[in-house]
Amino acid sequence: MTLTDTTSPVRTADTSSPILDVLAERWSPRSFDETAEVSETALTSALEAARWSASAANTQPWKFIVARRGTPMFDLITENLMGFNRVWTPNASVLIVNVAEVVDSEGKPRRWGMYDLGQAVANLTVQAHADGLHVHQMGGIEVEGLRAAFDLGERWEPVTVTALGVVAPAENLADEKTRARELAPRTRKSLDEIVVTA
Ligand SMILES: Cc1cc2nc3c(=O)[nH]c(=O)nc-3n(C[C@H](O)[C@H](O)[C@H](O)COP(=O)(O)O)c2cc1C
């Protein structure tokens, strides 16, 4: 793929062994179609996939704050993203604040809270991709700003924000650096680097 490609890119992973198509084909764009609406069915399916994720002792220590583009809540979430993320997220159809319960109701730290939330968001991502949507997760968020904006208290921690929508051509991105990142080859560490065997 070159920087002059203008079609919606297919960026299938180059895997060392076959994996499910939906996993190989999922990727995180920053160019979203500013006119696209996500159907209520697709949005509910994505959230349902998160709901059915595994969690430690089935505690389900998560909450999802969901806002569609054009609503005050969407703008409030955008205001609580870090600089670079504020530039490209306004075209997403939906923003979701992913919140983990990090302390239980008795005041004990919930050590798996963020782990469980991450799995639930991964489920949501895969379901959304299978339904023809794209997802881009962000850790560059204002944690305390989001906590205050949504009155979350100390037991709940905003961990990431997910942008959900319909992918658009990379050329729609005004910023050249962001456009180049959109088209750069997708890479990963090799299995040898991350798997420890005897
Ligand atoms: C927890 C987490 C935080 C991330 N934070 C950001 C972010 O703040 N801004 C951004 O543009 N991308 C962010 N990303 C996207 C990653 O950069 C992206 O997933 C990674 O480069 C791999 O690319 P791929 O998802 O297209 O395979 C984040 C992803 C995850 C899972």
Side-chain angles (χ1 to χ4, degrees):
M1 179 171 295
T2 70
L3 291 182
T4 53
D5 280 338
T6 56
T7 50
S8 288
V10 172
R11 293 165 57 69
T12 308
D14 181 12
T15 63
S16 63
S17 189
I19 64 174
L20 296 175
D21 287 349
V22 66
L23 296 178
E25 290 165 6
R26 180 217 60 82
W27 68 284
S28 308
R30 294 186 179 86
S31 181
F32 283 99
D33 181 344
E34 63 185 326
T35 65
E37 301 278 341
V38 170
S39 74
E40 205 54 44
T41 306
L43 181 55
T44 304
S45 293
L47 293 164
E48 191 67 8
R51 182 166 87 96
W52 280 98
S53 178
S55 64
N58 202 19
T59 42
Q60 305 160 65
W62 48 57
K63 274 192 203 299
F64 304 96
I65 299 169
V66 181
R68 285 183 180 273
R69 190 182 55 240
T71 63
M73 206 193 263
F74 185 100
D75 295 341
L76 188 56
I77 297 171
T78 309
E79 284 161 24
N80 284 288
L81 300 177
M82 287 183 177
F84 170 64
N85 290 328
R86 269 191 230 169
V87 176
W88 58 267
T89 41
N91 287 351
S93 304
V94 177
L95 291 177
I96 304 172
V97 185
N98 304 304
V99 185
E101 189 183 29
V102 289
V103 175
D104 71 16
S105 55
E106 288 164 8
K108 280 192 286 194
R110 209 184 262 304
R111 195 160 75 78
W112 300 278
M114 287 198 192
Y115 181 93
D116 288 341
L117 175 71
Q119 283 209 94
V121 175
N123 270 17
L124 178 151
T125 300
V126 171
Q127 180 67 45
H129 195 91
D131 288 335
L133 301 170
H134 279 73
V135 165
H136 197 128
Q137 301 175 55
M138 285 164 273
I141 63 172
E142 301 290 352
V143 173
E144 292 313 323
L146 286 166
R147 196 199 298 278
F150 295 105
D151 201 15
L152 292 171
E154 288 305 312
R155 289 182 48 229
W156 293 87
E157 179 154 336
V159 181
T160 50
V161 169
T162 298
L164 179 73
V166 174
V167 69
E171 66 174 8
N172 291 10
L173 291 164
D175 175 56
E176 196 184 323
K177 222 165 131 188
T178 312
R179 212 160 50 236
R181 282 172 81 173
E182 193 84 342
L183 297 168
R186 298 184 59 223
T187 60
R188 288 298 189 270
K189 293 177 182 173
S190 69
L191 276 183
D192 285 348
E193 286 175 89
I194 60 170
V195 178
V196 179
T197 52

